[in-house]
Amino acid sequence: MSKKHPDYIVVEGPIGVGKTTLAKRLAKSFNTELMLELATENPFLPRFYSDPKTVALPTQLFFLFQRAKQIESFRQKDMFRPIQVSDFLIEKDKLFASVTLDSDELDLYQQVYNRLTIDNHAPDLVIYLQAPIEILMQRIMMRGYGYEKAINHDYLKKISNAYIDFFYNYTSSPLLIVNTDDFDLSKDEKNYNLLLEHIGTLSSGRHYFNPVQI
């Protein structure tokens, strides 16, 4: 791939939007290291979706420690390839905490977060994937994780709105906003190749990619 492509790319967006799918494709295209969220390893997550109030804090703290550990381990590796791809920003952890925790829990979470040493440089590009809530719900049901069947429309809307607010004010890295409503991230070769070309042309600031109709 061209040297114009960013060295460190993060794919982000709400549950079910296709972060991991796109991150895997990008890592394969660039033949590079890949760092993925490990949501299925969180033992509290199934209980959170069925009864969020009782385990919201341990669910969020588990994710925080897990993501911080991943970033530290990834940072310490010898990187022989120039491009790295991840499907999460560490900052997204606070985004979810703000939605799932009550005020006392959030205060305790913030104290823990502030005491962690998270040495992670800003990405060279963040790709923010968007889709309507109905599309997200369909994708979540299609991927077949049993515990995700408890995810409801209201919760997903809160998470999606939190992402909108977060990226409205995001200036730490160049940002590419991608509409995935009609973009099959796993199979659509034409739009995927157009996206790769678009990535190679980006400079600083905010950018948009709307897939062509096939």
Side-chain angles (χ1 to χ4, degrees), residues 142-159:
M142 287 178 61
R143 65 189 188 185
Y145 296 144
Y147 58 83
E148 288 188 339
K149 292 181 180 179
I151 295 177
N152 59 52
H153 185 281
D154 289 342
Y155 173 72
L156 200 55
K157 186 175 180 60
K158 288 178 182 177
I159 294 297

Side-chain angles (χ1 to χ4, degrees), residues 50-102:
S50 61
D51 188 12
K53 290 185 178 180
T54 61
V55 291
L57 183 58
T59 301
Q60 205 59 56
L61 289 176
F62 185 95
F63 274 133
L64 176 61
F65 291 132
Q66 181 191 62
R67 289 162 180 159
K69 183 178 179 181
Q70 284 180 271
I71 288 172
E72 180 63 19
S73 175
F74 201 67
R75 187 185 64 82
Q76 291 177 354
K77 287 183 180 180
D78 290 327
M79 293 297 177
F80 297 102
R81 299 187 180 96
I83 298 172
Q84 307 168 36
V85 179
S86 174
D87 71 345
F88 69 91
L89 279 171
I90 189 61
E91 293 89 345
K92 72 95 74 59
D93 204 84
K94 290 191 288 185
L95 180 155
F96 274 81
S98 68
V99 172
T100 63
L101 304 181
D102 65 30

